[in-house]
Amino acid sequence: MKVCVFGANGYVGSSVYKVLKDISGIEVSGTFLEDPSMFDDLVKLDVNEPESFSEYFKEEQPDVVVWSVMAGPNEHELTDQGLIHLITHLTPETKLIYLSSDFVYSAGNGPYKEEDPLSTLPEDHTFSNYTNAKVKAERLIDKELTNYAILRAGPIYGENEIGKLDERTDKLAYHLRADKPIAFRDDLIRSFVHVADLAAVIVEFVQNDLIGVYNTGPEKTQSFYEFMGEEAEKLGYDADLVEKGSEEERVDEEIPKNTSLNTEKIKEKLKLNFR
């Protein structure tokens, strides 16, 4: 089996890539954009550039594609160019695994099941680019493809396969090492998923025939304040330094309040335990 991981240099993609490389019978290739590369054998590729993308894809001819590319404020460009380039090259036999986000439930009235309606944000909203691009990408995949799995994830945390921490935990540790307080909001409810658990889910989907849309993560839902307090304790720091943050917001900067995920569906399909 040939697998291509687009975004194999990223926080999630690098974990998926490393795990796949150690599995017998899987031939894996991966791409990166920004130096330095975390692996010696990755191919530098701008997925938004059609000619180089086409050349790379035709040479690899993968059986499974993992799309773990993240572009944040440039997510629209990634969807309108890179993802469309990919879709035009996929055959019905090629499975696409697309990493999506809990922000497709931007109405913020969770917990959400997979069949609940997606929602976009006004164009002038701070988070509209990322949120609306993810919604657009999911709808495009569903319209154009049949052999796909969309995996929705909340905030991703923890140390990945190459020893990198998520930015939020890294910032937490930085403050607490210096005995400085740090604040997180208590009104934003999420399903926090460990990067190793999410990578394990993606690897399972690479190897099985499951398709469709799946929410990922544990049953437990928490606010950022609750979760980061627990993380502080796990790291051996004084959790009292984690304080409740202000809930005041500007009109065009409101953060969706509850995007937590109902993950019963994926737990019925996979024998994996989320921490």
Side-chain angles (χ1 to χ4, degrees):
M1 177 191 293
K2 295 187 71 175
V3 181
C4 178
V5 181
F6 287 96
N9 214 38
Y11 178 54
V12 177
S14 59
S15 283
V16 174
Y17 186 76
K18 190 173 187 299
V19 172
L20 288 173
K21 282 175 69 71
D22 293 334
I23 298 178
S24 176
I26 292 182
E27 180 184 344
V28 59
S29 65
T31 73
F32 77 104
L33 179 59
E34 296 181 356
D35 292 317
S37 171
M38 298 294 105
F39 303 93
D40 294 335
D41 53 354
L42 297 184
V43 176
K44 189 166 186 175
L45 178 71
D46 183 351
V47 297
N48 293 333
E49 207 291 309
E51 291 184 7
S52 56
F53 182 95
S54 183
E55 181 180 343
Y56 170 78
F57 195 90
K58 289 177 180 177
E59 181 178 338
E60 293 300 327
Q61 290 294 308
D63 301 296
V64 180
V65 169
V66 177
W67 188 265
S68 58
V69 190
M70 297 289 182
N74 298 316
E75 196 74 26
H76 258 306
E77 182 181 353
L78 187 62
T79 297
D80 292 340
Q81 298 181 38
L83 184 61
I84 288 179
H85 296 159
L86 173 63
I87 288 175
T88 60
H89 285 80
L90 293 176
T91 66
E93 292 75 30
T94 309
K95 182 178 182 178
L96 170 63
I97 301 171
Y98 179 83
L99 183 56
S100 190
S101 167
D102 61 341
F103 258 50
V104 298
Y105 301 119
S106 61
N109 299 314
Y112 287 95
K113 293 185 176 181
E114 288 83 354
E115 60 269 22
D116 288 330
L118 310 185
S119 52
T120 56
L121 291 170
E123 290 300 322
D124 59 350
H125 194 284
T126 301
F127 303 106
S128 66
N129 196 312
Y130 177 78
T131 299
N132 297 354
K134 282 297 187 186
V135 171
K136 183 177 182 179
E138 286 201 22
R139 289 171 174 167
L140 180 65
I141 290 168
D142 182 61
K143 178 182 177 183
E144 300 293 336
L145 304 175
T146 55
N147 192 6
Y148 69 84
I150 293 173
L151 305 178
R152 296 173 181 152
I156 307 165
Y157 74 96
E159 186 174 308
N160 72 1
E161 287 286 335
I162 59 173
K164 182 178 180 180
L165 269 178
D166 62 287
E167 292 182 5
R168 192 178 296 107
T169 305
D170 201 28
K171 183 179 179 182
L172 173 75
Y174 175 80
H175 277 73
L176 300 188
R177 278 196 302 268
D179 288 325
K180 294 181 178 179
I182 184 170
F184 295 94
R185 288 175 59 169
D186 196 34
D187 62 328
L188 305 180
I189 311 300
R190 303 289 186 264
S191 297
F192 295 86
V193 60
H194 195 282
V195 63
D197 296 340
L198 182 57
V201 168
I202 293 171
V203 170
E204 282 286 323
F205 272 85
V206 166
Q207 299 176 91
N208 65 35
D209 296 324
L210 291 176
I211 58 174
V213 180
Y214 296 85
N215 294 335
T216 66
E219 269 183 51
K220 188 176 183 179
T221 65
Q222 294 174 284
S223 71
F224 278 97
Y225 167 72
E226 292 169 331
F227 178 79
M228 298 313 288
E230 287 187 4
E231 287 303 292
E233 290 184 350
K234 291 177 186 176
L235 293 169
Y237 296 113
D238 182 2
D240 289 337
L241 290 172
V242 179
E243 301 176 346
K244 290 185 180 181
S246 171
E247 299 177 6
E248 293 184 11
E249 296 176 313
R250 290 176 54 181
V251 173
D252 59 346
E253 295 181 357
E254 306 103 325
I255 301 174
K257 297 301 178 287
N258 186 345
T259 59
S260 62
L261 306 173
N262 180 311
T263 57
E264 292 179 4
K265 180 180 176 181
I266 200 166
K267 288 172 185 172
E268 291 175 358
K269 299 292 185 180
L270 302 182
K271 295 179 180 179
L272 292 174
N273 293 317
F274 293 94
R275 65 198 77 186

